[in-house]
Amino acid sequence: SAHTPNILWYHENLVGDINLVCIFTESRMHQEHVVGTLPDASGKTSLTLREATMSDAGRYFAIMNFGKTHVSGSAQYLVVTGRQYA
């Protein structure tokens, strides 16, 4: 609905490919290896990755969709270091 935002999270990998990571709504805030929050009073939302791997490195940004209104958030960079286990 127009009163409950959808949060679309995107990932831009290190070679510039952009992919949709997940879509969060009020009724679904958990998907596979990610957990998200809807905007708080200040409009901030979050994305938490579980067990990040080297392929998760890159830039993440959210777009909030309120019906026909779309608001883009600031990009955040994720650096993954250390060993990667199979």
Side-chain angles (χ1 to χ4, degrees), residues 6-86:
N6 291 322
I7 310 296
L8 292 81
W9 277 98
Y10 290 89
H11 171 229
E12 181 179 3
N13 66 21
L14 299 177
V15 297
D17 297 327
I18 297 175
N19 294 296
L20 178 65
V21 175
C22 57
I23 301 172
F24 290 131
T25 63
E26 187 171 22
S27 61
R28 184 173 170 94
M29 298 302 295
H30 301 269
Q31 292 183 0
E32 293 192 27
H33 74 290
V34 296
V35 177
T37 62
L38 286 173
D40 60 18
S42 66
K44 292 181 182 177
T45 184
S46 68
L47 178 72
T48 302
L49 280 69
R50 297 182 197 149
E51 300 180 19
T53 66
M54 295 294 182
S55 65
D56 292 317
R59 187 173 73 113
Y60 288 82
F61 60 96
I63 296 178
M64 281 192 285
N65 174 1
F66 294 92
K68 294 182 180 181
T69 302
H70 305 280
V71 179
S72 179
S74 301
Q76 298 297 315
Y77 291 87
L78 174 66
V79 176
V80 180
T81 60
R83 292 191 177 136
Q84 182 175 1
Y85 298 97

